[in-house]
């Protein structure tokens, strides 16, 4: 998509879609926001939607569907076996990935479960650029280990590296040389989620695949965030700039043995599955689908979602469609940088990530800066983000806190959902908060589950800082919401 600019020269991430269906939103007063945050135990997962104005928690299952997707849902063929919908979906996957076989699964983590149960055993080592929460859980549950071989630049919060999700090829080779017999496959995560939606280059993907194959092992791609990665390859990689999105997709897919994805992200619907080239690999995984997901022609998905997914996958091949997310994220990130507010750079896919460590350096890591910032952003603007810091980690076996490498607040940008004025509003409230950052204090647990504490845990502020924030808001904004 050509970059569109105003007459003044200012670039504008112009929407190449229009709104046909809307959902009413409420913006409740700041006093109510502080109250709702307390009711939710200072955990944004426990807020209720009626109290939220901009839901930037996640991009999962909340992307806007197109008119064509909704139309396709009406022709879904609901039958237990032999459904025409399944044929349409697999034909689309064959067309774009060139894969012959498809195993449906109810969402991304279900595909991970099937792959892990097939290939991982006690002591297995799975090299990957970076882990995702559910991926790691499935591997470690079976006694396997995750080895992260992302380039050093990948975990630096600020950088200008265009492909922070790249593998470190030397580290990968070393791993093969030293522990190759324990490696059942290499996993490549497109649009690396937990380090800020950062892409890999086409060149790196091909090099990783070639190296892995030279050691006789299969390559598995987690393509959940592939659409953003495709956009970045097209716009940041010189040697790919003349390739179409379809061609880039095919060059990647031709090098993979297995491609799995969450269709809650890829394909703008809900569901997931595994695309496979080789019959042998297909047969090894196949029996797990009817056992854990559903029959082979739906795998736990609704056929309506499968129709929407087939259309959404086709739309993913359209640069006008897939550029919207990255362009909005870049707009937000650039504006925040201009205002001197610490964010993860360069802008990636998925969302904009605030760096809580630099935003509120006075809050000790033991008092959860990313969680505190998440609560403060909600109180300041009714905006819900997701903590990606120490609260998202698990305690060590001796009960001590495992301090996260980075303390981020992720503000996800669901695709095609928000308008630019809503993004500008979010920027403005974060700017206000940054001017009042000294008021923000820490949190402590009052109810701490032993696993997945970030979902269910309840916390409280270590002082009366939320009240002070409300008071300052009223002084500056008067009657405004
Ligand atoms: C979301 C996600 C998953 C898990 O998918 P679900 O559909 O939520 O189960 C796996 N990998 C990546 C990279 C993801 O972003």
């Amino acid at each position: 998509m050509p970059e569109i600019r105003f007459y003044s020269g200012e670039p504008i991430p112009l929407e190449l879609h229009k709104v046909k269906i809307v959902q009413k939103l409420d913006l409740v007063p700041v006093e109510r926001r502080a109250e709702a945050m307390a009711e939710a135990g200072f955990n944004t997962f426990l807020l209720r939607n009626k109290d939220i104005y901009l839901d930037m928690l996640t991009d999962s299952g909340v992307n806007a569907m197109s008119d064509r997707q909704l139309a396709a849902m009406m022709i879904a063929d609901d039958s237990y076996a032999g459904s025409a919908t399944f044929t349409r979906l697999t034909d689309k996957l064959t067309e774009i990935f060139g894969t012959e076989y498809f195993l449906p699964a109810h969402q991304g983590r279900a595909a991970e479960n099937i792959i892990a149960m097939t290939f991982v055993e006690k002591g297995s080592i799975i090299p990957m650029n970076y882990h995702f929460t559910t991926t790691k859980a499935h591997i470690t549950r079976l006694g396997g280990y995750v080895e992260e071989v992302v380039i050093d630049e990948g975990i630096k919060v600020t950088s200008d590296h265009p492909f922070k999700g790249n593998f470190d090829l030397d580290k990968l080779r070393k791993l093969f040389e030293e522990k190759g017999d324990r490696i059942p496959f290499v996993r490549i995560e497109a649009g690396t989620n937990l380090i800020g939606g950062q892409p890999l280059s086409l060149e790196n993907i091909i090099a990783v695949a070639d190296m892995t194959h030279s050691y006789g092992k299969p390559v598995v791609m987690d393509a959940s965030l592939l659409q953003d990665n495709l956009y970045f390859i097209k716009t940041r990689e010189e040697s790919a700039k003349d390739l179409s999105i379809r061609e880039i997709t095919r060059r990647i897919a031709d090098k993979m043995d297995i491609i799995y994805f969450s269709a809650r992200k890829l394909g703008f619907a809900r569901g997931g599955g595994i695309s496979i080239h080789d019959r042998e690999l297909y047969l090894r995984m196949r029996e797990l689908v009817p056992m854990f997901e559903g029959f082979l022609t739906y795998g736990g998905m609704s056929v309506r979602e499968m129709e929407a997914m087939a259309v959404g996958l086709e739309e993913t091949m359209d640069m006008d469609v897939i550029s919207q997310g990255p362009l909005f994220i870049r707009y937000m990130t650039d504006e925040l940088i201009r205002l001197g507010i610490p964010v993860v750079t360069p802008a990636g896919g998925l969302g904009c990530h605030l760096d809580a460590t630099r935003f509120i350096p006075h809050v000790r890591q033991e008092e959860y800066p990313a969680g505190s910032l998440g609560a403060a952003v909600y109180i300041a603007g009714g905006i819900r983000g997701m903590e990606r810091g120490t609260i998202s980690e698990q305690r060590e076996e001796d009960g001590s806190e495992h301090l996260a490498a980075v303390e981020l607040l992720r503000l996800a940008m669901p695709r095609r959902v928000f308008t630019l004025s809503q993004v500008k509003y979010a920027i403005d409230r974060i700017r206000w908060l940054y001017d009042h950052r000294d008021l923000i204090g820490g949190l402590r647990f009052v109810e701490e589950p032993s696993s997945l504490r970030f979902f269910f845990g309840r916390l409280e502020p270590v002082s009366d800082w939320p009240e002070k924030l409300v008071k300052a808001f009223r002084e500056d904004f008067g009657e405004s919401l």
Side-chain angles (χ1 to χ4, degrees), residues 60 107-109 112 132 134 187 189 193 222 224-225 262 264-265:
S60 174
Q107 61 185 97
R109 69 199 66 183
E112 289 174 333
F132 184 68
T134 54
R187 173 180 174 275
E189 183 177 309
N193 191 322
D222 179 345
S224 304
L225 301 180
S262 166
R264 298 177 66 83
K265 295 139 192 176

Side-chain angles (χ1 to χ4, degrees), residues 148 160 176 192 203 261 324 332-333 336 391 408 433 465:
E148 283 162 351
D160 52 13
F176 268 121
T192 331
E203 188 189 357
F261 57 94
Q324 187 272 333
M332 183 165 177
T333 305
L336 291 172
I391 296 176
L408 304 179
L433 198 59
W465 67 262

Side-chain angles (χ1 to χ4, degrees), residues 25-34 37 47 51-56 373-385 409 411 418 421-434 469-470 473 477 480-481:
L25 293 176
D26 291 314
L27 179 53
V28 297
V30 67
E31 292 79 7
R32 172 60 204 151
R33 300 200 290 262
M37 196 71 259
L47 283 166
D51 293 316
I52 294 167
Y53 175 57
L54 288 186
D55 191 358
M56 302 183 115
L373 186 58
V377 166
Y378 171 72
I379 292 171
I383 301 157
R384 167 157 81 165
L409 179 68
L411 298 167
F418 297 132
S421 58
Q422 289 173 324
V423 174
K424 285 187 166 188
Y425 166 84
I427 294 165
D428 179 80
R429 290 304 189 258
I430 293 164
R431 177 187 185 183
W432 175 82
L433 198 59
Y434 193 60
L469 210 55
V470 171
F473 186 95
F477 289 101
S480 168
L481 294 171

